[in-house]
Amino acid sequence: MRPNVLDPLFAPVSVVDGIGPRIAKLLCNLLPVPESMQEPRVLGLVFHLPHSIIDRRKQPGIAFAPEGAIVTLKVRIDRHQPSPRGRSNVPYRVFAHDETGEIGFVFFHSKPAWLEKTLPVGEIMLVSGRVEWFNGRPTMVHPDHIVSEANAADLPLVEPVYPLTAGVSPKVLRKAILSALERVPDLPEWIDPHVVAKHGFSGFRESLARLHGPRDEADVDLQNPARRRLAYDELLAGQLALGLVRRKLKKTAGRVFQGSGDLAARIREAFGHRLTEAQERSLGEIRIDQEKPERMLRLLQGDVGSGKTIVALLAMANVIESGAQAAMMAPTEILARQHFASISPLARAAGLRIEILTGREKGKARDETLAALKAGDIDILVGTHALFQESVQFRDLGLAVVDEQHRFGVHQRLLLSSKGQHSDMLVMTATPIPRTLVLTAYGDMDVSKLDTKPPGRQPVKTVTVPLVRLDEVVDRVRNAIANGQKVYWICPLVEENEELKVASAEERFDTLKKVISAPLGLVHGRMKGDEKDAVMQAFKQGDIRLLVATTVIEVGVDVPDATIMVIEHAERFGLAQLHQLRGRVGRGSDHSTCLLLYKEPLGEVAHARLAIMRETEDGFRIAEEDLKLRGEGEILGTRQSGAANYRLASLADHADLLEIARDDARLVIETDADLHSERGKALRTLLYLFERDEAIRLLRAG
C-alpha cells in the first residue's frame, strides 16, 4: 500500500485552488495522466519545473529600455486615450513619463473603468513588461504587472518561466503550482548521509521550493544542487527498481545448460565463416552464464552488421543440446521473417526443427505449430509479440532471445521469460546504446558488446547533398542500376502531406517510375505483411532494382548486394535512425554509398547530425552524440515502450549521479534487500513517489 503521507500528492489536480474542470482538462496536454485517472495528479504540478526566469529587477528608465527587453519602469501617469466610440479594434492607450522620456501603454479590448482605476492620472506607478520601439517611440502592450508605488513589494522581481499549453496562462499555472507545493509533506530522508554531505543536497521539500522560487538564473540551471538532488532521487528510484527486478529474477533459480558442442560445431560448419574475436568473446560470456545455476539476463549490443544473429543461434544450440527449447522474438513481422530466413538453413543443417509464428499464421497450420511446440517437437520458434499470447505454450523454454529490445517494455520482457520455467534471457540490439542509457534501461542486465564487424565488410562512403541537386542524384542512381547495382530510396512519409511539404514514398515512387526504366518497388507500413514480404523478396532476388520505402526497412533487412542508400530529407531523421538506415548497405564485398539529401537551410542540430554521419561509422560514438543532441527518450524509443523517461533527471547532464545511484542501489539490495531498515522504509516511499510500484510488489511477492 502506498504510504498515506503521499496521498496529498497523488490526488487529482482539481483539488488545487484555481483549477476547475476546464483547466484540469487542459493540463492533460502538459502533465502526465495516470492510466487510472481522467486528469493529472498534484505530483505532476510539483514536478513541472521552470526552464528559465524573467528578471524584473532591471529598471533602466524609459529612454534606455532595450528593444524587446522585459523591464520595470517607475512612471507618472499623464493621460488616458480611450478607443473611439464604436471602433473596438483601435487600442486604448495610456501615456506616462519618467525623467528620461515618455511611453505609451497599449490595451486591446479593454475595460475603460478598470484601466482608469488601475492607472490613475497623476499617480506614480511601477509597470513591468516587454518594451517595443516604433518610429523612435517606446510602447508596452498589455504590461505583465502594474502596482502603485506604495505596493511595490507586491511586484515579483524574479519570475520562473514554465513550459505552457494553450489555454493555460502563466499566472494560472504559477498559482496552481504554488498551491500544489503547499501540499508537499515532510518526507523521511532516503539518500545515504555521505552522498547528502558530499554533494551539499538539501531536503526533498526544500529543493522543490528552491527550484519553484528561483532568485537568479543559477537557480534554474540543471547543475544547481537543488536540481541535482531531485535528479538523484529519480535516478535512485529507477536503479533500485531495476535492481529489485533483477534480484527477483536471479532469486528464482535458473538452470545449468551445458551441451556437448556438437550442434554448435554443425552450425559453424554450415555457416562457413570464422567468427570475429568479439563474437567469440560474447559467446564465451554467454556460455559462462548458461553454465551457472542462476538465470541469465544478458544484453548483446552490436552495431549494424556485427553478426549478432549467429551468436544468438549458437547460444540456442547449447540450450537445445541440454534438452530445452529456444524462442526468438522480433518487434516487426518483416524482421521476424528475416531472422527465420537467415537462421533456418543453419538450424536445419544441424538437424533442428525451426518454425515461425506471427499474426499472419492462421487456422490449421497455426494449430499444428502450437501442438508441436507444446509437445516439444519444435526446437526453435521465431515470432513477433504473438509469442506473448496465452495459447503459445512451450514444453520447456530454456532461452528467450529478444531482438531490438528497446521496442518492448520491461513488462513484456518479463512476460516472455515467464513462459519458461526459469528460462534464460538474451536481449539483442543493433542500436548502440551509450553507457548511461544501458544503466537506466537495462540496469538489470549484464552486457556483451560486438564492437568489430565481420571481415569483408566494406566501409560505406557517406555524402550530403542539398535537395536542389536532386536531378544529379537521379542520374547517378539510373547509371548505377544500369551497371547492375541495387538501390534503396528512403522517404520520411507514406503519402503527401500539405503541411510538411516533404516528398512522400508514394509520390517519389511515381516520379522515379517516369524517369528510370528498371523495375521499381514500394514498401511502407500501411501495406499488408505479405505484400511487403513479396516486394522485399523481389528486391532481394533482383527482380526489383530500386526499392522506394519509408523507415519500415530500418531494422535488420538484409540484401547483401544493395550498394546505394538514398535518404531524402535526412534532416528530419534522428542520428540513430540514419545510422540504422545506412547499415542496410555495405553488407557485401562491393563498395557502397549513402547519399543524405537535405533541404536548406539546415538548423544547428540537423547540421551537427549530418556532420557526424559523414565523419564516422562507429555506432557507439554516434549513440553518444545522439544522446547529447536529442536526449534519452528518443534514443530508446521510450515514447512507445514506457521505459525510463525522466522528468527531473537529464542523462546527458546527470550521468555522474547515475553511477552513484547504481552503486548505492546495489549496496542497499545486498544489505537490506527487503527494505526493512529505517532507510529502507524511506526508500519504499521514494519508489512510490516515482511510481515504481512494480518493484514494491516484487518485494511483497518475495
Side-chain angles (χ1 to χ4, degrees):
M1 291 288 289
R2 185 172 64 230
N4 295 340
V5 70
L6 292 179
D7 288 350
L9 296 177
F10 280 74
V13 285
S14 48
V15 304
V16 169
D17 292 345
I19 296 190
R22 188 183 74 84
I23 299 289
K25 193 171 180 197
L26 291 171
L27 286 174
C28 293
N29 301 323
L30 193 62
L31 308 175
V33 182
E35 279 177 26
S36 57
M37 293 171 68
Q38 306 296 302
E39 60 182 85
R41 293 184 172 129
V42 173
L43 186 66
L45 279 173
V46 168
F47 282 168
H48 191 66
L49 300 180
H51 54 72
S52 56
I53 61 163
I54 294 172
D55 189 343
R56 299 192 187 278
R57 290 172 295 196
K58 300 187 193 90
Q59 297 196 21
I62 293 170
F64 306 108
E67 163 68 32
I70 289 175
V71 298
T72 301
L73 301 172
K74 187 176 178 179
V75 296
R76 187 178 293 279
I77 307 302
D78 295 329
R79 62 192 172 91
H80 285 235
Q81 183 183 308
S83 312
R85 194 183 291 264
R87 292 184 61 193
S88 58
N89 60 332
V90 177
Y92 188 114
R93 296 177 192 274
V94 178
F95 295 95
H97 75 276
D98 66 7
E99 61 269 25
T100 71
E102 281 191 327
I103 190 166
F105 301 122
V106 178
F107 301 88
F108 290 91
H109 311 295
S110 54
K111 296 185 171 68
W114 178 80
L115 283 172
E116 283 166 15
K117 187 178 164 198
T118 306
L119 290 162
V121 172
E123 290 292 323
I124 289 181
M125 307 294 291
L126 287 168
V127 184
S128 189
R130 191 178 302 280
V131 172
E132 291 166 9
W133 289 78
F134 295 104
N135 300 328
R137 304 181 77 161
T139 60
M140 192 183 282
V141 180
H142 287 279
D144 301 330
H145 296 277
I146 302 169
V147 298
S148 65
E149 193 177 18
N151 295 328
D154 295 346
L155 180 72
L157 293 178
V158 177
E159 271 185 287
V161 181
Y162 294 94
L164 287 170
T165 186
V168 181
S169 72
K171 274 185 185 165
V172 167
L173 182 64
R174 175 74 177 148
K175 186 180 171 207
I177 287 173
L178 290 175
S179 180
L181 280 173
E182 288 171 14
R183 299 174 65 91
V184 177
D186 276 320
L187 296 171
E189 182 56 86
W190 45 70
I191 301 183
D192 181 277
H194 300 297
V195 176
V196 170
K198 184 178 175 189
H199 294 272
F201 289 158
S202 47
F204 173 74
R205 190 177 173 188
E206 206 181 318
S207 299
L208 275 171
R210 164 60 63 86
L211 290 172
H212 285 293
R215 294 163 303 191
D216 52 39
E217 284 288 350
D219 282 348
V220 290
D221 189 86
L222 285 169
Q223 296 302 346
N224 172 297
R227 180 61 180 261
R228 281 173 64 81
R229 148 86 212 209
L230 295 176
Y232 185 76
D233 290 338
E234 188 169 29
L235 294 170
L236 181 60
Q239 290 302 295
L240 192 56
L242 280 169
L244 290 168
V245 170
R246 170 77 186 249
R247 173 174 165 267
K248 168 79 175 169
L249 290 175
K250 285 275 190 187
K251 220 167 79 171
T252 51
R255 294 155 62 184
V256 172
F257 294 112
Q258 214 164 4
S260 62
D262 292 349
L263 273 180
R266 273 183 259 163
I267 289 169
R268 282 173 184 260
E269 193 180 329
F271 183 57
H273 306 284
R274 280 186 61 180
L275 295 193
T276 64
E277 184 199 338
Q279 284 172 313
E280 293 288 10
R281 182 183 67 232
S282 298
L283 207 50
E285 290 165 350
I286 291 166
R287 287 296 289 268
I288 289 167
D289 282 0
Q290 289 180 328
E291 289 170 9
K292 284 183 189 164
E294 295 176 343
R295 295 178 73 176
M296 170 170 81
L297 271 176
R298 186 166 283 279
L299 173 67
L300 179 61
Q301 263 193 287
D303 208 343
V304 177
S306 57
K308 293 179 296 297
T309 316
I310 184 69
V311 173
L313 181 58
L314 290 167
M316 290 189 215
N318 191 38
V319 167
I320 294 162
E321 266 189 338
S322 306
Q325 296 162 291
M328 184 175 216
M329 189 174 70
T332 64
E333 193 160 333
I334 279 191
L335 192 49
R337 294 198 172 277
Q338 182 159 310
H339 279 315
F340 183 66
S342 65
I343 64 179
S344 290
L346 302 175
R348 286 177 182 144
L352 299 175
R353 180 171 172 190
I354 176 169
E355 297 292 346
I356 185 163
L357 192 71
T358 67
R360 206 194 307 169
E361 274 65 45
K362 299 220 168 44
K364 193 178 170 197
R366 183 184 182 86
D367 293 342
E368 283 172 4
T369 299
L370 291 175
L373 187 70
K374 195 171 179 181
D377 298 336
I378 293 174
D379 298 303
I380 299 172
L381 184 66
V382 179
T384 55
H385 51 269
L387 299 193
F388 290 134
Q389 293 168 359
E390 273 183 37
S391 59
V392 180
Q393 292 178 2
F394 294 80
R395 183 178 66 83
D396 180 12
L397 178 62
L399 172 63
V401 178
V402 182
D403 194 19
E404 288 306 320
Q405 145 67 21
H406 64 282
R407 308 238 177 148
F408 299 109
V410 176
H411 316 293
Q412 288 171 298
R413 189 160 91 202
L414 296 174
L415 252 176
L416 183 65
S417 64
S418 68
K419 289 258 177 210
Q421 292 304 306
H422 320 307
S423 55
D424 284 351
M425 183 142 234
L426 179 67
V427 163
M428 306 195 300
T429 176
T431 309
I433 302 169
R435 174 170 166 68
T436 45
L437 290 189
V438 170
L439 282 182
T440 53
Y442 307 91
D444 54 333
M445 293 194 167
D446 300 306
V447 182
S448 291
K449 248 186 186 181
L450 296 179
D451 41 18
T452 53
K453 285 194 181 181
R457 286 279 167 98
Q458 296 289 336
V460 178
K461 184 182 178 191
T462 303
V463 185
T464 49
V465 185
L467 265 168
V468 290
R469 292 171 56 194
L470 182 67
D471 292 348
E472 292 173 43
V473 174
V474 173
D475 282 344
R476 180 169 173 185
V477 165
R478 192 190 293 111
N479 293 336
I481 292 171
N483 290 329
Q485 295 186 55
K486 284 187 194 169
V487 182
Y488 288 104
W489 191 299
I490 306 297
C491 301
L493 301 172
V494 176
E495 55 196 31
E496 198 175 353
N497 181 325
E498 268 304 304
E499 289 165 33
L500 287 178
K501 296 282 179 246
V502 174
S504 71
E506 288 172 343
E507 190 189 356
R508 183 57 68 219
F509 177 71
D510 290 339
T511 55
L512 290 173
K513 217 163 46 174
K514 290 170 189 158
V515 293
I516 292 176
S517 55
L520 274 66
L522 173 67
V523 171
H524 56 70
R526 292 201 195 152
M527 290 163 67
K528 289 200 175 86
D530 43 5
E531 289 176 353
K532 279 191 281 202
D533 285 352
V535 177
M536 290 305 306
Q537 196 54 37
F539 185 52
K540 202 165 183 168
Q541 287 168 353
D543 302 335
I544 288 170
R545 309 301 303 178
L546 170 63
L547 181 68
V548 180
T550 56
T551 55
V552 291
I553 65 113
E554 173 189 338
V555 180
V557 176
D558 193 18
V559 181
D561 56 346
T563 52
I564 295 179
M565 167 65 70
V566 180
I567 303 175
E568 197 165 338
H569 284 284
E571 78 279 358
R572 300 187 63 83
F573 294 93
L575 252 181
Q577 204 174 25
L578 289 172
H579 179 62
Q580 286 281 358
L581 288 166
R582 175 170 64 184
R584 300 301 109 222
V585 294
R587 300 172 84 85
S589 52
D590 294 332
H591 289 285
S592 294
T593 308
C594 176
L595 298 167
L596 303 174
L597 302 185
Y598 64 89
K599 186 170 193 251
E600 295 173 298
L602 275 182
E604 199 178 327
V605 172
H607 191 276
R609 239 182 242 154
L610 299 187
I612 291 159
M613 287 294 293
R614 278 202 313 269
E615 280 166 33
T616 182
E617 275 192 83
D618 176 353
F620 290 98
R621 186 189 151 203
I622 284 172
E624 294 288 352
E625 297 292 342
D626 206 16
L627 177 60
K628 288 178 200 161
L629 291 175
R630 284 200 304 166
E632 59 275 7
E634 299 286 348
I635 293 181
L636 284 173
T638 52
R639 303 271 178 267
Q640 297 86 34
S641 72
N645 210 355
Y646 292 102
R647 285 191 268 177
L648 309 176
S650 151
L651 295 186
D653 296 281
H654 301 134
D656 61 319
L657 294 177
L658 179 59
E659 300 275 353
I660 300 163
R662 186 204 48 179
D663 292 343
D664 192 16
R666 276 188 178 171
L667 188 63
V668 168
I669 289 167
E670 280 169 23
T671 56
D672 181 23
D674 297 319
L675 304 184
H676 283 324
S677 67
E678 275 310 301
R679 186 182 173 212
K681 287 173 191 160
L683 284 165
R684 284 176 181 242
T685 303
L686 171 73
L687 289 170
Y688 277 114
L689 183 67
F690 284 97
E691 299 174 67
R692 301 288 185 154
D693 308 18
E694 302 108 27
I696 306 238
R697 282 200 290 279
L698 285 179
L699 279 178
R700 287 210 302 274

